[in-house]
Amino acid sequence: MLELKLDRITKQYKEKIAVDHISVSFVNGVYGLLGENGAGKTTLLRMICNLLPPGEGEIVCSGIPIRNMGREYRRLLGYLPQEFGYYPEFTAWRYLMYLASLKALPKELARERCRELLKLVGLEGEERQKIKTFSGGMVRRLGIAQALLNDPEILILDEPTSGLDPRERIRFRNIISSLGKNRIVILSTHIVADVAYIADEILLMKKGKIIGSGTPEELVKRMNGCVWECLIPGDKVGDYTEKYPVSNLKNVDNQVRLRMLSVDKPCANAVPAEPGLEDVYLYFTEEERGAYEDTADRNL
């Protein structure tokens, strides 16, 4: 089985450290790289794709540094960047066949792969339409198809559902989930729902570092006893939002229902709430403050 190993990968731009000594290993499965915009996710993915050299550290594929693998590593890799280039006047079929030729696929194999992939991503019957007529969701699905042309063993997806409506996002997640059985899939996103149901492991990234990792179930379990809900008067909301990370706020009659993180019971009428992955995301990415620091210390 293929193994991709990152060993203390670092990348710095002038005074900014975009990726800070990250070490992690990947085998077959879906990995969700979850973090805010600017956390360093795209820089990390570009280094994994060998498009950007690390300032420090090494990326190794089954024991061989990827910088020494050349064409062999490119053969293993499929990449969907956040913004991928295409020719608007091309049809979907012409676009995929053109990219297949760049990947040196024999013509008959290219035709077979294009037919398979258009069906996989739900574009069968649309292959003769010009890409400029496609919706955003259709373009992203075409992007997945082009990333899979060479049947890669490592699939890198950078914010693949950005700008999609809920229906397209669900369709996209289902496609990605089906791809993780026999390959490494690394999916970068800042949308919790994109990885909550399909990721075998989640890596939480903040300010260039991996600050938490585990299966969705493991990460949620860490939050047991630290998520609370309570009703408070509207004029007290500011007091609580300043002191605690608040994951949800809803007006109920003349009061406000707050869902917040705290190691201790935050108010007399607070009741424990079932934690979710959004609470985990807030837990790891919220700026440390007050009682929240104690929560992090106790659970990590």
Side-chain angles (χ1 to χ4, degrees), residues 84 86-87 90-103 105 109-119 121 123 127 131 134 139 141-150:
F84 74 97
Y86 60 88
Y87 299 100
F90 276 24
T91 65
W93 180 264
R94 184 183 177 192
Y95 174 71
L96 290 179
M97 287 294 292
Y98 169 69
L99 291 181
S101 69
L102 295 181
K103 294 175 184 282
L105 269 66
L109 176 59
R111 289 178 179 274
E112 181 181 346
R113 288 293 293 160
C114 288
R115 283 191 290 267
E116 290 175 355
L117 292 171
L118 286 165
K119 183 176 182 179
V121 301
L123 291 177
E127 61 267 28
I131 302 173
F134 282 9
V139 171
R141 283 186 270 143
L142 184 63
I144 271 282
Q146 65 82 26
L148 291 168
L149 275 169
N150 57 326

Side-chain angles (χ1 to χ4, degrees), residues 149-169:
L149 275 169
N150 57 326
D151 195 19
E153 296 183 53
I154 303 170
L155 182 60
I156 308 296
L157 308 169
D158 191 2
E159 299 282 357
T161 64
S162 177
L164 301 189
D165 63 39
R167 183 181 295 275
E168 284 286 3
R169 181 170 285 118

